């Protein structure tokens, strides 16, 4: 289990417990965090789960796979630490992770 902090574009913070094996997207949806939609259910085909990983956590989340990188090209504003929340699986290693949510998901 990990405590994940989701920060909405407005600055509102949500600190939630997310079980290991759950994706960041699902952890947000299950805890009613505004700003993540997860329209495709996590199959990497909608990019409505865009998150911006805090710089000091980016290496721990791993690198995006090719299909994720392709989907990320479609987001309106891409950051160097942008990821798709459905492609990051929570482990104990991610306890304390902080992600920002974009102004809008499309
Ligand atoms: Fe659709 Fe992540 S939920 S790409």
């Amino acid at each position: 289990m990990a405590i994940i902090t989701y920060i909405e574009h407005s600055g509102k913070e949500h600190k939630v417990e997310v079980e290991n094996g759950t994706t960041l997207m699902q952890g947000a949806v299950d805890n009613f965090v505004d700003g993540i939609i997860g329209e495709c259910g996590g199959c990497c085909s909608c990019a409505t789960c865009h998150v911006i990983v805090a710089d000091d956590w980016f290496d721990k989340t791993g690198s995006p796979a090719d299909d994720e990188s392709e989907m990320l090209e479609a987001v309106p504003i891409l950051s160097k630490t942008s990821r798709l929340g459905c492609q990051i699986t929570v482990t104990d290693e991610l306890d304390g992770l902080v992600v920002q949510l974009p102004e809008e998901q499309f």
Side-chain angles (χ1 to χ4, degrees), residues 22-73:
T22 304
T23 66
L24 278 189
M25 178 278 287
Q26 198 62 53
V29 170
D30 290 349
N31 288 282
F32 309 104
V33 174
D34 281 338
I36 288 191
I37 300 170
E39 189 171 299
C40 75
C43 61
C44 200
S45 63
C46 72
T48 63
C49 60
H50 178 204
V51 299
I52 299 131
V53 178
D55 286 345
D56 50 346
W57 281 95
F58 190 65
D59 287 344
K60 282 195 176 175
T61 63
S63 300
D66 289 347
D67 57 345
E68 181 184 352
S69 293
E70 286 174 22
M71 286 305 303
L72 281 167
E73 289 175 14

Side-chain angles (χ1 to χ4, degrees), residues 67-83:
D67 57 345
E68 181 184 352
S69 293
E70 286 174 22
M71 286 305 303
L72 281 167
E73 289 175 14
V75 303
I77 300 175
L78 188 64
S79 160
K80 64 182 172 45
T81 61
S82 286
R83 294 288 312 270

